[in-house]
Amino acid sequence: KLLRTCFVGISPRWLTCGCSAWHAWVCRAQLVAVKKVIAAMTIGKDVSSLFVEMLKCIQTSDIELKKLIYLYLMNYAKTQPEKVILAVSTFLRDAQDPNPLVRALAIRTMACIRVTEIVEYIVDPLRRCLADTDPYVRKTAAIAVAKLYDLSAELTESAGFVGE
């Protein structure tokens, strides 16, 4: 309900006006709403019904908002495996982001989502991140290999991440 009511009464033309003030207001409103959702999730309330609304907010350049949404996805991916597949394109795009923090966040999130439907999508970005120039990204990718092995040892071995 928090995200759904965020834009009640707002004219659709405002969404496409391109105003930087409007964009800043929308980003702030999304951040406040997502923080409330995460707070509710943290104290044990079931906010899984907001999965689609959270997915709609995933394509953002705000790192704080992206971290919170990724945290939500990691928590509820097991209960909504058919919907988490919708986030894969964003994960793949973020794994190639110029910002090393965003690249590492995308790889870590994909590895933490324990859903077999997205396991096959992590191989290529993981291979790129293992050879990344940034040490934080490489470290995160190395940890992701261990998590991938736990989920699918066969895939990890066939991709050449570990020896036999």
Side-chain angles (χ1 to χ4, degrees), residues 60-95:
T60 180
S61 59
D62 184 348
I63 294 178
E64 183 181 8
L65 181 58
K66 190 175 286 285
K67 283 181 181 179
L68 293 171
I69 293 169
Y70 279 14
L71 175 66
Y72 176 91
L73 291 177
M74 282 189 279
N75 197 45
Y76 285 108
K78 262 221 178 322
T79 62
Q80 312 259 346
E82 68 285 344
K83 291 180 184 171
V84 79
I85 201 83
L86 299 172
V88 169
S89 64
T90 302
F91 294 145
L92 296 176
R93 192 174 327 107
D94 285 351

PDB file of all heavy atoms in Angstrom, residues 60-95:
ATOM      1  N   THR A  60      16.836   2.239 -11.365  1.00  0.00           N
ATOM      2  CA  THR A  60      17.133   3.554 -10.837  1.00  0.00           C
ATOM      3  C   THR A  60      18.633   3.756 -10.813  1.00  0.00           C
ATOM      4  O   THR A  60      19.398   2.791 -10.739  1.00  0.00           O
ATOM      5  CB  THR A  60      16.550   3.724  -9.414  1.00  0.00           C
ATOM      6  OG1 THR A  60      16.876   5.024  -8.936  1.00  0.00           O
ATOM      7  CG2 THR A  60      17.071   2.675  -8.462  1.00  0.00           C
ATOM      8  N   SER A  61      19.045   5.005 -10.855  1.00  0.00           N
ATOM      9  CA  SER A  61      20.474   5.299 -10.752  1.00  0.00           C
ATOM     10  C   SER A  61      20.869   5.605  -9.313  1.00  0.00           C
ATOM     11  O   SER A  61      22.055   5.734  -9.014  1.00  0.00           O
ATOM     12  CB  SER A  61      20.823   6.483 -11.664  1.00  0.00           C
ATOM     13  OG  SER A  61      20.056   7.613 -11.289  1.00  0.00           O
ATOM     14  N   ASP A  62      19.903   5.722  -8.422  1.00  0.00           N
ATOM     15  CA  ASP A  62      20.160   5.989  -7.007  1.00  0.00           C
ATOM     16  C   ASP A  62      20.642   4.703  -6.338  1.00  0.00           C
ATOM     17  O   ASP A  62      19.895   3.737  -6.202  1.00  0.00           O
ATOM     18  CB  ASP A  62      18.880   6.501  -6.339  1.00  0.00           C
ATOM     19  CG  ASP A  62      19.076   6.889  -4.888  1.00  0.00           C
ATOM     20  OD1 ASP A  62      20.128   6.560  -4.316  1.00  0.00           O
ATOM     21  OD2 ASP A  62      18.169   7.516  -4.330  1.00  0.00           O
ATOM     22  N   ILE A  63      21.902   4.693  -5.908  1.00  0.00           N
ATOM     23  CA  ILE A  63      22.495   3.468  -5.353  1.00  0.00           C
ATOM     24  C   ILE A  63      21.808   3.056  -4.052  1.00  0.00           C
ATOM     25  O   ILE A  63      21.601   1.863  -3.813  1.00  0.00           O
ATOM     26  CB  ILE A  63      24.011   3.635  -5.158  1.00  0.00           C
ATOM     27  CG1 ILE A  63      24.672   3.777  -6.517  1.00  0.00           C
ATOM     28  CG2 ILE A  63      24.602   2.464  -4.399  1.00  0.00           C
ATOM     29  CD1 ILE A  63      26.162   3.998  -6.474  1.00  0.00           C
ATOM     30  N   GLU A  64      21.441   4.014  -3.223  1.00  0.00           N
ATOM     31  CA  GLU A  64      20.773   3.679  -1.960  1.00  0.00           C
ATOM     32  C   GLU A  64      19.444   2.970  -2.220  1.00  0.00           C
ATOM     33  O   GLU A  64      19.137   1.950  -1.602  1.00  0.00           O
ATOM     34  CB  GLU A  64      20.541   4.939  -1.125  1.00  0.00           C
ATOM     35  CG  GLU A  64      19.915   4.663   0.219  1.00  0.00           C
ATOM     36  CD  GLU A  64      19.666   5.925   1.033  1.00  0.00           C
ATOM     37  OE1 GLU A  64      19.843   7.047   0.519  1.00  0.00           O
ATOM     38  OE2 GLU A  64      19.269   5.778   2.205  1.00  0.00           O
ATOM     39  N   LEU A  65      18.671   3.493  -3.156  1.00  0.00           N
ATOM     40  CA  LEU A  65      17.390   2.882  -3.505  1.00  0.00           C
ATOM     41  C   LEU A  65      17.609   1.495  -4.118  1.00  0.00           C
ATOM     42  O   LEU A  65      16.918   0.537  -3.787  1.00  0.00           O
ATOM     43  CB  LEU A  65      16.626   3.785  -4.477  1.00  0.00           C
ATOM     44  CG  LEU A  65      15.254   3.310  -4.933  1.00  0.00           C
ATOM     45  CD1 LEU A  65      14.323   3.098  -3.751  1.00  0.00           C
ATOM     46  CD2 LEU A  65      14.656   4.322  -5.905  1.00  0.00           C
ATOM     47  N   LYS A  66      18.614   1.387  -4.981  1.00  0.00           N
ATOM     48  CA  LYS A  66      18.909   0.106  -5.628  1.00  0.00           C
ATOM     49  C   LYS A  66      19.288  -0.949  -4.585  1.00  0.00           C
ATOM     50  O   LYS A  66      18.837  -2.086  -4.638  1.00  0.00           O
ATOM     51  CB  LYS A  66      20.040   0.283  -6.644  1.00  0.00           C
ATOM     52  CG  LYS A  66      20.257  -0.914  -7.537  1.00  0.00           C
ATOM     53  CD  LYS A  66      21.295  -0.625  -8.595  1.00  0.00           C
ATOM     54  CE  LYS A  66      20.805   0.272  -9.676  1.00  0.00           C
ATOM     55  NZ  LYS A  66      19.900  -0.350 -10.631  1.00  0.00           N
ATOM     56  N   LYS A  67      20.107  -0.583  -3.596  1.00  0.00           N
ATOM     57  CA  LYS A  67      20.499  -1.517  -2.541  1.00  0.00           C
ATOM     58  C   LYS A  67      19.282  -2.011  -1.760  1.00  0.00           C
ATOM     59  O   LYS A  67      19.178  -3.206  -1.453  1.00  0.00           O
ATOM     60  CB  LYS A  67      21.475  -0.848  -1.567  1.00  0.00           C
ATOM     61  CG  LYS A  67      22.870  -0.722  -2.059  1.00  0.00           C
ATOM     62  CD  LYS A  67      23.740  -0.073  -0.995  1.00  0.00           C
ATOM     63  CE  LYS A  67      25.157   0.107  -1.462  1.00  0.00           C
ATOM     64  NZ  LYS A  67      25.983   0.751  -0.424  1.00  0.00           N
ATOM     65  N   LEU A  68      18.383  -1.103  -1.447  1.00  0.00           N
ATOM     66  CA  LEU A  68      17.187  -1.487  -0.686  1.00  0.00           C
ATOM     67  C   LEU A  68      16.282  -2.416  -1.491  1.00  0.00           C
ATOM     68  O   LEU A  68      15.754  -3.399  -0.969  1.00  0.00           O
ATOM     69  CB  LEU A  68      16.419  -0.241  -0.236  1.00  0.00           C
ATOM     70  CG  LEU A  68      17.133   0.630   0.797  1.00  0.00           C
ATOM     71  CD1 LEU A  68      16.377   1.939   0.997  1.00  0.00           C
ATOM     72  CD2 LEU A  68      17.298  -0.107   2.112  1.00  0.00           C
ATOM     73  N   ILE A  69      16.121  -2.111  -2.757  1.00  0.00           N
ATOM     74  CA  ILE A  69      15.278  -2.958  -3.610  1.00  0.00           C
ATOM     75  C   ILE A  69      15.917  -4.335  -3.787  1.00  0.00           C
ATOM     76  O   ILE A  69      15.241  -5.357  -3.732  1.00  0.00           O
ATOM     77  CB  ILE A  69      15.007  -2.275  -4.963  1.00  0.00           C
ATOM     78  CG1 ILE A  69      14.143  -1.031  -4.741  1.00  0.00           C
ATOM     79  CG2 ILE A  69      14.322  -3.225  -5.925  1.00  0.00           C
ATOM     80  CD1 ILE A  69      14.008  -0.131  -5.937  1.00  0.00           C
ATOM     81  N   TYR A  70      17.229  -4.372  -3.987  1.00  0.00           N
ATOM     82  CA  TYR A  70      17.920  -5.649  -4.109  1.00  0.00           C
ATOM     83  C   TYR A  70      17.806  -6.462  -2.820  1.00  0.00           C
ATOM     84  O   TYR A  70      17.661  -7.680  -2.861  1.00  0.00           O
ATOM     85  CB  TYR A  70      19.386  -5.433  -4.469  1.00  0.00           C
ATOM     86  CG  TYR A  70      19.642  -5.169  -5.949  1.00  0.00           C
ATOM     87  CD1 TYR A  70      18.614  -4.840  -6.826  1.00  0.00           C
ATOM     88  CD2 TYR A  70      20.919  -5.237  -6.462  1.00  0.00           C
ATOM     89  CE1 TYR A  70      18.857  -4.609  -8.158  1.00  0.00           C
ATOM     90  CE2 TYR A  70      21.176  -5.009  -7.809  1.00  0.00           C
ATOM     91  CZ  TYR A  70      20.142  -4.697  -8.651  1.00  0.00           C
ATOM     92  OH  TYR A  70      20.376  -4.481  -9.983  1.00  0.00           O
ATOM     93  N   LEU A  71      17.858  -5.794  -1.673  1.00  0.00           N
ATOM     94  CA  LEU A  71      17.677  -6.476  -0.389  1.00  0.00           C
ATOM     95  C   LEU A  71      16.285  -7.102  -0.308  1.00  0.00           C
ATOM     96  O   LEU A  71      16.119  -8.252   0.095  1.00  0.00           O
ATOM     97  CB  LEU A  71      17.876  -5.493   0.770  1.00  0.00           C
ATOM     98  CG  LEU A  71      17.605  -6.020   2.172  1.00  0.00           C
ATOM     99  CD1 LEU A  71      18.619  -7.098   2.536  1.00  0.00           C
ATOM    100  CD2 LEU A  71      17.651  -4.878   3.164  1.00  0.00           C
ATOM    101  N   TYR A  72      15.286  -6.348  -0.737  1.00  0.00           N
ATOM    102  CA  TYR A  72      13.908  -6.857  -0.761  1.00  0.00           C
ATOM    103  C   TYR A  72      13.818  -8.077  -1.682  1.00  0.00           C
ATOM    104  O   TYR A  72      13.218  -9.089  -1.326  1.00  0.00           O
ATOM    105  CB  TYR A  72      12.959  -5.752  -1.227  1.00  0.00           C
ATOM    106  CG  TYR A  72      11.535  -6.208  -1.367  1.00  0.00           C
ATOM    107  CD1 TYR A  72      10.645  -6.114  -0.311  1.00  0.00           C
ATOM    108  CD2 TYR A  72      11.069  -6.746  -2.566  1.00  0.00           C
ATOM    109  CE1 TYR A  72       9.330  -6.539  -0.429  1.00  0.00           C
ATOM    110  CE2 TYR A  72       9.762  -7.179  -2.691  1.00  0.00           C
ATOM    111  CZ  TYR A  72       8.904  -7.071  -1.629  1.00  0.00           C
ATOM    112  OH  TYR A  72       7.607  -7.505  -1.765  1.00  0.00           O
ATOM    113  N   LEU A  73      14.415  -7.983  -2.867  1.00  0.00           N
ATOM    114  CA  LEU A  73      14.352  -9.089  -3.819  1.00  0.00           C
ATOM    115  C   LEU A  73      15.031 -10.340  -3.279  1.00  0.00           C
ATOM    116  O   LEU A  73      14.528 -11.452  -3.462  1.00  0.00           O
ATOM    117  CB  LEU A  73      14.981  -8.684  -5.153  1.00  0.00           C
ATOM    118  CG  LEU A  73      14.223  -7.632  -5.965  1.00  0.00           C
ATOM    119  CD1 LEU A  73      14.994  -7.282  -7.220  1.00  0.00           C
ATOM    120  CD2 LEU A  73      12.829  -8.086  -6.300  1.00  0.00           C
ATOM    121  N   MET A  74      16.168 -10.161  -2.607  1.00  0.00           N
ATOM    122  CA  MET A  74      16.853 -11.316  -2.027  1.00  0.00           C
ATOM    123  C   MET A  74      15.965 -11.997  -0.985  1.00  0.00           C
ATOM    124  O   MET A  74      15.959 -13.217  -0.879  1.00  0.00           O
ATOM    125  CB  MET A  74      18.167 -10.897  -1.371  1.00  0.00           C
ATOM    126  CG  MET A  74      19.278 -10.662  -2.349  1.00  0.00           C
ATOM    127  SD  MET A  74      20.866 -10.417  -1.546  1.00  0.00           S
ATOM    128  CE  MET A  74      20.781  -8.712  -1.068  1.00  0.00           C
ATOM    129  N   ASN A  75      15.218 -11.198  -0.249  1.00  0.00           N
ATOM    130  CA  ASN A  75      14.383 -11.730   0.821  1.00  0.00           C
ATOM    131  C   ASN A  75      13.145 -12.460   0.299  1.00  0.00           C
ATOM    132  O   ASN A  75      12.750 -13.490   0.849  1.00  0.00           O
ATOM    133  CB  ASN A  75      13.972 -10.599   1.758  1.00  0.00           C
ATOM    134  CG  ASN A  75      13.465 -11.104   3.080  1.00  0.00           C
ATOM    135  OD1 ASN A  75      14.050 -11.991   3.672  1.00  0.00           O
ATOM    136  ND2 ASN A  75      12.375 -10.540   3.540  1.00  0.00           N
ATOM    137  N   TYR A  76      12.540 -11.954  -0.767  1.00  0.00           N
ATOM    138  CA  TYR A  76      11.266 -12.511  -1.243  1.00  0.00           C
ATOM    139  C   TYR A  76      11.358 -13.283  -2.559  1.00  0.00           C
ATOM    140  O   TYR A  76      10.339 -13.732  -3.086  1.00  0.00           O
ATOM    141  CB  TYR A  76      10.221 -11.401  -1.369  1.00  0.00           C
ATOM    142  CG  TYR A  76       9.690 -10.969  -0.032  1.00  0.00           C
ATOM    143  CD1 TYR A  76      10.044  -9.745   0.504  1.00  0.00           C
ATOM    144  CD2 TYR A  76       8.862 -11.803   0.707  1.00  0.00           C
ATOM    145  CE1 TYR A  76       9.573  -9.350   1.743  1.00  0.00           C
ATOM    146  CE2 TYR A  76       8.391 -11.424   1.942  1.00  0.00           C
ATOM    147  CZ  TYR A  76       8.752 -10.193   2.455  1.00  0.00           C
ATOM    148  OH  TYR A  76       8.288  -9.819   3.687  1.00  0.00           O
ATOM    149  N   ALA A  77      12.550 -13.462  -3.100  1.00  0.00           N
ATOM    150  CA  ALA A  77      12.687 -14.161  -4.383  1.00  0.00           C
ATOM    151  C   ALA A  77      12.214 -15.605  -4.312  1.00  0.00           C
ATOM    152  O   ALA A  77      11.632 -16.111  -5.264  1.00  0.00           O
ATOM    153  CB  ALA A  77      14.130 -14.115  -4.856  1.00  0.00           C
ATOM    154  N   LYS A  78      12.456 -16.259  -3.200  1.00  0.00           N
ATOM    155  CA  LYS A  78      12.041 -17.664  -3.073  1.00  0.00           C
ATOM    156  C   LYS A  78      10.526 -17.818  -3.097  1.00  0.00           C
ATOM    157  O   LYS A  78      10.013 -18.817  -3.579  1.00  0.00           O
ATOM    158  CB  LYS A  78      12.596 -18.238  -1.770  1.00  0.00           C
ATOM    159  CG  LYS A  78      13.860 -19.025  -1.975  1.00  0.00           C
ATOM    160  CD  LYS A  78      13.782 -20.252  -1.105  1.00  0.00           C
ATOM    161  CE  LYS A  78      14.852 -21.202  -1.150  1.00  0.00           C
ATOM    162  NZ  LYS A  78      15.622 -21.689  -2.066  1.00  0.00           N
ATOM    163  N   THR A  79       9.803 -16.825  -2.590  1.00  0.00           N
ATOM    164  CA  THR A  79       8.346 -16.917  -2.574  1.00  0.00           C
ATOM    165  C   THR A  79       7.717 -16.493  -3.898  1.00  0.00           C
ATOM    166  O   THR A  79       6.568 -16.811  -4.152  1.00  0.00           O
ATOM    167  CB  THR A  79       7.743 -16.060  -1.439  1.00  0.00           C
ATOM    168  OG1 THR A  79       8.067 -14.686  -1.659  1.00  0.00           O
ATOM    169  CG2 THR A  79       8.245 -16.505  -0.085  1.00  0.00           C
ATOM    170  N   GLN A  80       8.485 -15.768  -4.730  1.00  0.00           N
ATOM    171  CA  GLN A  80       7.963 -15.286  -6.019  1.00  0.00           C
ATOM    172  C   GLN A  80       8.962 -15.604  -7.149  1.00  0.00           C
ATOM    173  O   GLN A  80       9.383 -14.707  -7.875  1.00  0.00           O
ATOM    174  CB  GLN A  80       7.761 -13.772  -5.947  1.00  0.00           C
ATOM    175  CG  GLN A  80       7.043 -13.272  -4.732  1.00  0.00           C
ATOM    176  CD  GLN A  80       5.604 -12.950  -5.003  1.00  0.00           C
ATOM    177  OE1 GLN A  80       5.179 -12.852  -6.146  1.00  0.00           O
ATOM    178  NE2 GLN A  80       4.838 -12.777  -3.953  1.00  0.00           N
ATOM    179  N   PRO A  81       9.341 -16.866  -7.321  1.00  0.00           N
ATOM    180  CA  PRO A  81      10.383 -17.179  -8.314  1.00  0.00           C
ATOM    181  C   PRO A  81       9.990 -16.842  -9.751  1.00  0.00           C
ATOM    182  O   PRO A  81      10.847 -16.501 -10.568  1.00  0.00           O
ATOM    183  CB  PRO A  81      10.600 -18.683  -8.143  1.00  0.00           C
ATOM    184  CG  PRO A  81       9.368 -19.196  -7.498  1.00  0.00           C
ATOM    185  CD  PRO A  81       8.834 -18.072  -6.664  1.00  0.00           C
ATOM    186  N   GLU A  82       8.712 -16.917 -10.063  1.00  0.00           N
ATOM    187  CA  GLU A  82       8.298 -16.609 -11.434  1.00  0.00           C
ATOM    188  C   GLU A  82       8.358 -15.113 -11.722  1.00  0.00           C
ATOM    189  O   GLU A  82       8.458 -14.706 -12.879  1.00  0.00           O
ATOM    190  CB  GLU A  82       6.887 -17.152 -11.711  1.00  0.00           C
ATOM    191  CG  GLU A  82       5.761 -16.457 -10.951  1.00  0.00           C
ATOM    192  CD  GLU A  82       5.669 -16.822  -9.467  1.00  0.00           C
ATOM    193  OE1 GLU A  82       6.268 -17.818  -9.045  1.00  0.00           O
ATOM    194  OE2 GLU A  82       4.989 -16.096  -8.725  1.00  0.00           O
ATOM    195  N   LYS A  83       8.315 -14.290 -10.691  1.00  0.00           N
ATOM    196  CA  LYS A  83       8.381 -12.838 -10.894  1.00  0.00           C
ATOM    197  C   LYS A  83       9.802 -12.302 -10.814  1.00  0.00           C
ATOM    198  O   LYS A  83      10.109 -11.280 -11.427  1.00  0.00           O
ATOM    199  CB  LYS A  83       7.499 -12.125  -9.861  1.00  0.00           C
ATOM    200  CG  LYS A  83       6.026 -12.371 -10.080  1.00  0.00           C
ATOM    201  CD  LYS A  83       5.191 -11.651  -9.059  1.00  0.00           C
ATOM    202  CE  LYS A  83       3.713 -11.992  -9.241  1.00  0.00           C
ATOM    203  NZ  LYS A  83       2.897 -11.469  -8.138  1.00  0.00           N
ATOM    204  N   VAL A  84      10.673 -12.978 -10.064  1.00  0.00           N
ATOM    205  CA  VAL A  84      12.040 -12.486  -9.927  1.00  0.00           C
ATOM    206  C   VAL A  84      12.792 -12.561 -11.251  1.00  0.00           C
ATOM    207  O   VAL A  84      13.739 -11.804 -11.479  1.00  0.00           O
ATOM    208  CB  VAL A  84      12.793 -13.225  -8.797  1.00  0.00           C
ATOM    209  CG1 VAL A  84      13.276 -14.583  -9.237  1.00  0.00           C
ATOM    210  CG2 VAL A  84      13.938 -12.390  -8.280  1.00  0.00           C
ATOM    211  N   ILE A  85      12.352 -13.400 -12.146  1.00  0.00           N
ATOM    212  CA  ILE A  85      12.978 -13.504 -13.460  1.00  0.00           C
ATOM    213  C   ILE A  85      12.872 -12.171 -14.220  1.00  0.00           C
ATOM    214  O   ILE A  85      13.695 -11.876 -15.082  1.00  0.00           O
ATOM    215  CB  ILE A  85      12.362 -14.681 -14.264  1.00  0.00           C
ATOM    216  CG1 ILE A  85      13.295 -15.132 -15.379  1.00  0.00           C
ATOM    217  CG2 ILE A  85      11.028 -14.335 -14.850  1.00  0.00           C
ATOM    218  CD1 ILE A  85      14.327 -16.069 -14.914  1.00  0.00           C
ATOM    219  N   LEU A  86      11.884 -11.357 -13.871  1.00  0.00           N
ATOM    220  CA  LEU A  86      11.708 -10.054 -14.510  1.00  0.00           C
ATOM    221  C   LEU A  86      12.840  -9.079 -14.166  1.00  0.00           C
ATOM    222  O   LEU A  86      13.060  -8.111 -14.875  1.00  0.00           O
ATOM    223  CB  LEU A  86      10.366  -9.437 -14.109  1.00  0.00           C
ATOM    224  CG  LEU A  86       9.118 -10.234 -14.488  1.00  0.00           C
ATOM    225  CD1 LEU A  86       7.871  -9.612 -13.876  1.00  0.00           C
ATOM    226  CD2 LEU A  86       8.989 -10.343 -15.998  1.00  0.00           C
ATOM    227  N   ALA A  87      13.550  -9.346 -13.086  1.00  0.00           N
ATOM    228  CA  ALA A  87      14.639  -8.470 -12.662  1.00  0.00           C
ATOM    229  C   ALA A  87      15.975  -8.844 -13.299  1.00  0.00           C
ATOM    230  O   ALA A  87      16.941  -8.087 -13.188  1.00  0.00           O
ATOM    231  CB  ALA A  87      14.763  -8.503 -11.145  1.00  0.00           C
ATOM    232  N   VAL A  88      16.037  -9.964 -13.972  1.00  0.00           N
ATOM    233  CA  VAL A  88      17.310 -10.455 -14.509  1.00  0.00           C
ATOM    234  C   VAL A  88      17.933  -9.472 -15.488  1.00  0.00           C
ATOM    235  O   VAL A  88      19.144  -9.237 -15.454  1.00  0.00           O
ATOM    236  CB  VAL A  88      17.134 -11.847 -15.154  1.00  0.00           C
ATOM    237  CG1 VAL A  88      18.353 -12.250 -15.950  1.00  0.00           C
ATOM    238  CG2 VAL A  88      16.848 -12.874 -14.082  1.00  0.00           C
ATOM    239  N   SER A  89      17.154  -8.863 -16.349  1.00  0.00           N
ATOM    240  CA  SER A  89      17.730  -7.924 -17.325  1.00  0.00           C
ATOM    241  C   SER A  89      18.388  -6.742 -16.616  1.00  0.00           C
ATOM    242  O   SER A  89      19.436  -6.252 -17.055  1.00  0.00           O
ATOM    243  CB  SER A  89      16.673  -7.442 -18.314  1.00  0.00           C
ATOM    244  OG  SER A  89      15.674  -6.704 -17.653  1.00  0.00           O
ATOM    245  N   THR A  90      17.798  -6.299 -15.510  1.00  0.00           N
ATOM    246  CA  THR A  90      18.409  -5.213 -14.739  1.00  0.00           C
ATOM    247  C   THR A  90      19.697  -5.680 -14.081  1.00  0.00           C
ATOM    248  O   THR A  90      20.690  -4.954 -14.060  1.00  0.00           O
ATOM    249  CB  THR A  90      17.424  -4.683 -13.682  1.00  0.00           C
ATOM    250  OG1 THR A  90      16.242  -4.235 -14.336  1.00  0.00           O
ATOM    251  CG2 THR A  90      18.030  -3.531 -12.904  1.00  0.00           C
ATOM    252  N   PHE A  91      19.706  -6.898 -13.549  1.00  0.00           N
ATOM    253  CA  PHE A  91      20.928  -7.437 -12.950  1.00  0.00           C
ATOM    254  C   PHE A  91      22.043  -7.507 -13.990  1.00  0.00           C
ATOM    255  O   PHE A  91      23.187  -7.131 -13.713  1.00  0.00           O
ATOM    256  CB  PHE A  91      20.704  -8.848 -12.384  1.00  0.00           C
ATOM    257  CG  PHE A  91      19.770  -8.915 -11.219  1.00  0.00           C
ATOM    258  CD1 PHE A  91      18.930 -10.002 -11.061  1.00  0.00           C
ATOM    259  CD2 PHE A  91      19.713  -7.916 -10.262  1.00  0.00           C
ATOM    260  CE1 PHE A  91      18.073 -10.103  -9.984  1.00  0.00           C
ATOM    261  CE2 PHE A  91      18.853  -7.997  -9.174  1.00  0.00           C
ATOM    262  CZ  PHE A  91      18.034  -9.100  -9.040  1.00  0.00           C
ATOM    263  N   LEU A  92      21.708  -7.984 -15.174  1.00  0.00           N
ATOM    264  CA  LEU A  92      22.709  -8.118 -16.233  1.00  0.00           C
ATOM    265  C   LEU A  92      23.248  -6.749 -16.657  1.00  0.00           C
ATOM    266  O   LEU A  92      24.451  -6.592 -16.895  1.00  0.00           O
ATOM    267  CB  LEU A  92      22.122  -8.858 -17.431  1.00  0.00           C
ATOM    268  CG  LEU A  92      21.705 -10.307 -17.183  1.00  0.00           C
ATOM    269  CD1 LEU A  92      21.060 -10.894 -18.426  1.00  0.00           C
ATOM    270  CD2 LEU A  92      22.874 -11.150 -16.724  1.00  0.00           C
ATOM    271  N   ARG A  93      22.367  -5.773 -16.747  1.00  0.00           N
ATOM    272  CA  ARG A  93      22.789  -4.417 -17.104  1.00  0.00           C
ATOM    273  C   ARG A  93      23.659  -3.822 -15.992  1.00  0.00           C
ATOM    274  O   ARG A  93      24.687  -3.201 -16.251  1.00  0.00           O
ATOM    275  CB  ARG A  93      21.561  -3.536 -17.338  1.00  0.00           C
ATOM    276  CG  ARG A  93      21.881  -2.212 -17.973  1.00  0.00           C
ATOM    277  CD  ARG A  93      20.658  -1.382 -18.346  1.00  0.00           C
ATOM    278  NE  ARG A  93      19.507  -2.156 -18.757  1.00  0.00           N
ATOM    279  CZ  ARG A  93      18.405  -2.329 -18.008  1.00  0.00           C
ATOM    280  NH1 ARG A  93      18.298  -1.781 -16.834  1.00  0.00           N
ATOM    281  NH2 ARG A  93      17.396  -3.045 -18.453  1.00  0.00           N
ATOM    282  N   ASP A  94      23.240  -4.024 -14.739  1.00  0.00           N
ATOM    283  CA  ASP A  94      24.004  -3.482 -13.613  1.00  0.00           C
ATOM    284  C   ASP A  94      25.363  -4.161 -13.466  1.00  0.00           C
ATOM    285  O   ASP A  94      26.308  -3.558 -12.966  1.00  0.00           O
ATOM    286  CB  ASP A  94      23.213  -3.617 -12.311  1.00  0.00           C
ATOM    287  CG  ASP A  94      22.077  -2.606 -12.212  1.00  0.00           C
ATOM    288  OD1 ASP A  94      22.000  -1.700 -13.067  1.00  0.00           O
ATOM    289  OD2 ASP A  94      21.265  -2.725 -11.274  1.00  0.00           O
ATOM    290  N   ALA A  95      25.478  -5.402 -13.899  1.00  0.00           N
ATOM    291  CA  ALA A  95      26.760  -6.109 -13.829  1.00  0.00           C
ATOM    292  C   ALA A  95      27.783  -5.525 -14.807  1.00  0.00           C
ATOM    293  O   ALA A  95      28.963  -5.842 -14.720  1.00  0.00           O
ATOM    294  CB  ALA A  95      26.559  -7.597 -14.101  1.00  0.00           C
TER     295      ALA A  95
END
